[in-house]
Amino acid sequence: MKRLKWLHFALAACLVLALTACGSGKSDSQSQTQDNNQTGSSNSSKPSDTSAPKGKTELVFWSPFSGPDGPFMKKIVDAYNEQSDSYQVKFQIQPNGDYYKLLDNAFGTKKNMPDLMIMHLDAIPTYAGKDLLQPMDDLAAKAGIKKEDYVEAAVNYATIDGKWWGIPLDIHPLIMYYNKDLFAEAGIEHPPTNREEFLEAAKKLTDPSKGQWGYAVPTLWPQQFIFPSLIYQQGADLVDAEGNPNLNSPEAVDALAFLKSLIFEHKVSPENVAQDGEVKLFLQGKNAIQFNGPWMKDQWDKAGINYGVAPVPVFFDQPGVFGGSHTFVVPKEQTDAAKLEGIGDFLKYVAGHSLDWAESGQAVASKQVLASPEFQQLTQQQTEVAKEFDYVHFAPPIPDWGSIVGELWTQVNLTLLGKAEPQKALDEAQKKALQAAEAKKQ
């Protein structure tokens, strides 16, 4: 299985993953983040505790969970601290939009460096390539943490040159949300599973006179998840066998042409959808289908939408979705044996107690939790998300991949606005990507 996942980065002036989305654009080294998983943004950096009790070794833990998912991780940290006699985790939430800037500053100045941190999976090749992280193999072995304890896709991606650089917390692939009330009104009994069912449903659900659409096609974020998913469904990739950009392949052209056809041929989407326009329509009950990430759950719940969750339909030849993952990493500078032992102890605890994280809407990467009755009894979202783990792809494991393909999102946007044709747009994206890749070799 190809391992792919895009660095969340912004498109032109917009991307920030709209927290999750909706993140914001980041530096080259940053993952697409947004944290695409945080829609709200408290931007709180309040630690779980101000100092470690006497006799406990303090472990500073950074995360970008400044949205509604932050309290779920804090609950895990607090529970760990309560039961641990030896270690105290100081949980610090950094503003999602500035997370990698703060991290880069810490790496550069060697000041205020955390002992443990969350990193997006697709950022690992960049930071490991710059020799800023330490392999997790020894730490994991001493703590009794095994690769086979986690979903293979995330483990394989984080294993570079035979070394394991990040222990996964979750996997968040593209999923399909749908408005159950609109489906019922249209007489549609189940969510679509393939292209034919999708088009039939979207047309039934579209009524321009009411301002209602079957599927409002986003022209910006989260196309970073949607467009590559359609390429993977054709058994293709965004890179060739040598790891070079392959953005104008026949499969990529077909994927973009299909998205454009939904707007201008099938007319199941309004034209000129602005950033987050499809989200606003879904919240208003005017967009029946929404492709996005698990991080949207909190927003839908607060809005009181009667929604369902299902795997992304197979639009082409085989299942395939783009996804992301939050992973635990340790900076190379951390060499304190007591702290490394404590980090291992904490991560071992998280592996068995990440059900609280799953309750945020995420599907966790721990096989122990995934197999538990408690996880299986969670709301439909988590179990539906986990169904996609067998065919999830991550961004190409290439350092600074986000900066190499920046032009791609500009060209996708222009195409979906009706200002460019798929082939010419992707030819331009490919030309700029090859230039950027070559420049990085010099």
Side-chain angles (χ1 to χ4, degrees):
M1 170 187 298
K2 304 182 187 93
R3 346 168 194 137
L4 294 125
K5 177 211 164 196
W6 290 78
L7 304 173
H8 294 0
F9 64 79
L11 181 144
C14 315
L15 243 210
V16 166
L17 207 161
L19 187 199
T20 214
C22 295
S24 358
K26 302 181 168 184
S27 68
D28 296 347
S29 62
Q30 302 168 358
S31 140
Q32 174 171 290
T33 153
Q34 310 158 352
D35 187 52
N36 285 323
N37 297 325
Q38 335 296 323
T39 354
S41 64
S42 59
N43 290 347
S44 168
S45 58
K46 180 181 178 181
S48 56
D49 279 299
T50 54
S51 60
K54 187 176 181 179
K56 282 191 175 187
T57 298
E58 182 178 88
L59 308 171
V60 177
F61 169 33
W62 277 20
S63 91
F65 302 145
S66 56
D69 45 6
F72 293 93
M73 178 54 68
K74 185 178 184 299
K75 183 177 179 180
I76 295 173
V77 171
D78 288 347
Y80 172 80
N81 288 338
E82 180 69 24
Q83 58 84 53
S84 177
D85 295 327
S86 302
Y87 308 104
Q88 183 81 5
V89 175
K90 187 175 183 179
F91 182 46
Q92 296 183 335
I93 298 176
Q94 306 297 346
N96 178 59
D98 296 328
Y99 185 67
Y100 285 91
K101 292 179 182 178
L102 294 169
L103 200 55
D104 288 346
N105 184 63
F107 277 123
T109 63
K110 302 295 190 295
K111 296 179 180 179
N112 300 316
M113 179 69 71
D115 304 306
L116 173 69
M117 53 204 168
I118 289 292
M119 180 169 284
H120 293 88
L121 182 64
D122 56 14
I124 287 180
T126 297
Y127 283 87
K130 292 179 179 179
D131 198 27
L132 295 173
L133 306 179
Q134 63 174 280
M136 305 290 279
D137 302 85
D138 290 344
L139 179 155
K142 291 177 182 178
I145 297 172
K146 302 177 182 179
K147 287 185 175 181
E148 52 265 35
D149 295 337
Y150 300 90
V151 175
E152 288 81 1
V155 171
N156 292 341
Y157 188 100
T159 302
I160 304 172
D161 295 331
K163 297 178 181 179
W164 191 17
W165 298 93
I167 295 177
L169 169 63
D170 60 34
I171 296 178
H172 38 270
L174 182 73
I175 55 175
M176 179 171 67
Y177 292 103
Y178 61 98
N179 186 306
K180 289 185 174 181
D181 293 335
L182 294 181
F183 267 59
E185 290 173 9
I188 303 172
E189 297 181 353
H190 61 81
T193 61
N194 55 45
R195 184 192 289 220
E196 292 71 26
E197 292 179 357
F198 177 84
L199 288 174
E200 181 181 0
K203 290 176 181 178
K204 285 184 178 179
L205 292 159
T206 297
D207 186 345
S209 68
K210 297 179 180 179
Q212 178 179 308
W213 305 95
Y215 169 54
V217 178
T219 62
L220 295 165
W221 169 263
Q223 281 299 337
Q224 287 75 4
F225 272 54
I226 299 169
F227 174 64
S229 294
L230 300 182
I231 295 174
Y232 305 145
Q233 288 194 1
Q234 299 174 72
D237 204 332
L238 289 162
V239 293
D240 61 22
E242 286 71 45
N244 300 310
N246 188 30
L247 308 183
N248 61 345
S249 66
E251 293 84 0
V253 173
D254 286 348
L256 188 52
F258 173 68
L259 288 170
K260 185 177 182 180
S261 75
L262 296 175
I263 305 170
F264 299 102
E265 177 186 344
H266 299 294
K267 300 184 182 301
V268 298
S269 169
E271 298 180 16
N272 304 316
V273 175
Q275 178 68 61
D276 296 332
E278 77 287 353
V279 172
K280 293 176 182 177
L281 288 172
F282 194 77
L283 289 169
Q284 295 166 0
K286 298 296 185 179
N287 179 22
I289 297 172
Q290 161 85 184
F291 293 116
N292 217 309
W295 50 81
M296 300 303 296
K297 179 180 184 295
D298 183 74
Q299 203 168 31
W300 306 152
D301 289 344
K302 287 181 177 177
I305 300 171
N306 182 22
Y307 68 93
V309 185
V312 173
V314 179
F315 292 104
F316 289 92
D317 308 319
Q318 61 192 42
V321 291
F322 181 86
S325 171
H326 292 113
T327 62
F328 294 100
V329 299
V330 175
K332 184 180 180 180
E333 298 299 319
Q334 180 50 264
T335 58
D336 185 291
K339 289 199 172 189
L340 291 173
E341 183 177 340
I343 291 169
D345 186 70
F346 174 64
L347 296 183
K348 181 71 172 179
Y349 178 88
V350 172
H353 297 80
S354 53
L355 188 67
D356 285 322
W357 186 247
E359 290 176 348
S360 73
Q362 299 280 4
V364 297
S366 167
K367 290 182 178 178
Q368 176 184 347
V369 174
L370 287 173
S372 69
E374 293 82 3
F375 179 83
Q376 296 300 322
Q377 292 170 8
L378 286 177
T379 65
Q380 181 189 28
Q381 168 153 316
Q382 291 89 333
T383 52
E384 290 296 314
V385 171
K387 289 178 181 178
E388 296 186 328
F389 284 5
D390 288 339
Y391 48 84
V392 66
H393 300 259
F394 303 109
I398 297 172
D400 296 323
W401 174 252
S403 64
I404 292 173
V405 296
E407 181 65 21
L408 173 61
W409 306 119
T410 298
Q411 294 300 326
V412 167
N413 173 249
L414 291 173
T415 301
L416 298 179
L417 291 174
K419 298 178 180 180
E421 292 302 318
Q423 184 69 65
K424 290 184 178 180
L426 294 178
D427 286 346
E428 179 66 16
Q430 174 71 359
K431 181 179 75 173
K432 294 291 181 63
L434 290 174
Q435 292 172 350
E438 186 60 32
K440 290 187 177 298
K441 296 178 182 178
Q442 299 174 1

